[in-house]
Amino acid sequence: KINNEEFDAFKDLKDVEVKIGILNEAFNAATELINNGAEVLICRGGTVDYLKKHFKSIPIIDIEISSYDIAEAISKARKFDDNLAFIVFRKMLFEDKKLPLAFDFNIKIYFIENESEVRGAILKAKEDGYTTFLGGRTVSRICAELGFRSLLLSSGTDSILTAIRQAQQVLKAKDESIRNISLIKDVMENTRIGIIAINEDNQVKLANRKAIEFLNKSNEQIIGSNIYNLFSTDHELEDGNSVIELNGK
């Protein structure tokens, strides 16, 4: 959850665009952002895992819930009673082992793996005697449907800004990697040595101009081919290397 003042503040940050949505709504928002040029996504809770399943090629930063965020939520919840149940994804709560010990009232944490487990976790907590529930938007929605009391566990401004800084670091590292790759390609294309790069399955992923000349094949014929299919191997040496035939030599 982001309040209106925070929402406006984040909207004004350079190179940061804010969209609100969870799960399916977040998918549509993320698709729009990526189509508009977004290079990193920032979200929290179950939305992180949901988006990672659909967008495997883009970094996704998780907004953590800080100790201050937890203390603030508990302070608000205590105004109602002393039996508090957290219904959260495991990655949302890192202080899970110490949390019940830090307060002198009854707290229990119910971890969920996906959204479909929320209703069952709430009902189990209710059966265990808990009467106030803390969690994300899905927890608040289902508690409202069941007539149970709930409070939204929010990520504060500091937690969100920390995630934004992490995203900026990811972008910086990405830019440096692109520059390094560009430099390597320049070196490869200007060397007199033929160079071929393969993956763990022996498929050719990269070949410089000299290697293409040596193989006497087009780049399209080389990239994606098994390296051993490009050469005729005569015999293997004792040191593990092989003597190969290339263009009749």
Side-chain angles (χ1 to χ4, degrees):
K1 179 185 178 182
I2 304 176
N3 64 40
N4 291 333
E5 291 181 2
E6 290 172 336
F7 184 83
D8 291 337
F10 295 132
K11 284 204 308 184
D12 292 336
L13 287 174
K14 183 181 179 181
D15 297 329
V16 175
E17 185 173 351
V18 180
K19 297 283 186 181
I20 295 179
I22 59 173
L23 301 177
N24 287 332
E25 296 173 354
F27 172 81
N28 295 331
T31 300
E32 180 182 347
L33 290 169
I34 293 170
N35 290 338
N36 291 336
E39 298 179 81
V40 181
L41 299 177
I42 300 173
C43 51
R44 77 166 202 172
T47 304
V48 176
D49 292 332
Y50 185 83
L51 292 184
K52 281 184 175 180
K53 291 178 182 178
H54 293 86
F55 303 103
K56 300 185 182 298
S57 61
I58 189 167
I60 299 178
I61 305 298
D62 189 4
I63 301 174
E64 297 180 0
I65 296 176
S66 69
S67 298
Y68 177 81
D69 298 331
I70 295 169
E72 185 178 39
I74 290 175
S75 177
K76 292 178 180 178
R78 269 205 88 178
K79 296 176 182 178
F80 301 105
D81 62 45
D82 291 343
N83 296 305
L84 309 179
F86 281 79
I87 314 294
V88 294
F89 290 89
R90 185 171 296 276
K91 64 173 56 183
M92 289 177 66
L93 210 59
F94 293 99
E95 292 90 349
D96 58 288
K97 293 181 180 179
K98 299 178 182 179
L99 185 59
L101 302 176
F103 299 90
D104 59 352
F105 48 95
N106 195 18
I107 296 177
K108 187 171 181 179
I109 303 168
Y110 295 81
F111 287 114
I112 54 174
E113 298 297 329
N114 55 67
E115 188 185 33
S116 65
E117 298 178 0
V118 173
R119 185 178 294 271
I122 292 173
L123 293 174
K124 177 65 169 65
K126 184 69 173 179
E127 182 182 321
D128 292 342
Y130 293 91
T131 50
T132 299
F133 306 88
L134 294 92
R137 285 186 177 276
T138 303
V139 172
S140 295
R141 176 178 58 79
I142 294 178
C143 280
E145 293 173 1
L146 296 171
F148 298 164
R149 181 170 48 240
S150 69
L151 282 90
L152 187 63
L153 188 56
S154 301
S155 295
T157 302
D158 288 343
S159 297
I160 298 171
L161 289 175
T162 296
I164 291 174
R165 285 192 289 270
Q166 291 175 353
Q168 291 170 335
Q169 292 171 355
V170 168
L171 285 176
K172 182 179 179 181
K174 180 181 177 181
D175 290 341
E176 290 177 353
S177 296
I178 290 173
R179 286 195 295 271
N180 290 336
I181 291 172
S182 178
L183 177 60
I184 291 170
K185 286 185 176 180
D186 287 341
V187 171
M188 288 180 62
E189 289 302 320
N190 289 285
T191 184
R192 299 172 61 185
I193 302 172
I195 300 175
I196 297 175
I198 62 174
N199 62 15
E200 63 275 9
D201 297 320
N202 297 316
Q203 289 182 316
V204 177
K205 305 301 293 183
L206 185 68
N208 69 349
R209 185 174 60 250
K210 205 67 178 178
I212 293 173
E213 292 175 1
F214 287 156
L215 291 171
N216 194 28
K217 297 179 183 291
S218 68
N219 189 60
E220 290 73 19
Q221 291 175 305
I222 296 172
I223 302 302
S225 298
N226 187 295
I227 185 68
Y228 293 109
N229 293 336
L230 296 175
F231 304 106
S232 175
T233 304
D234 282 353
H235 62 276
E236 189 171 309
L237 303 178
E238 292 182 359
D239 61 4
N241 291 317
S242 298
V243 177
I244 64 171
E245 180 181 326
L246 179 61
N247 294 335
K249 298 181 181 180

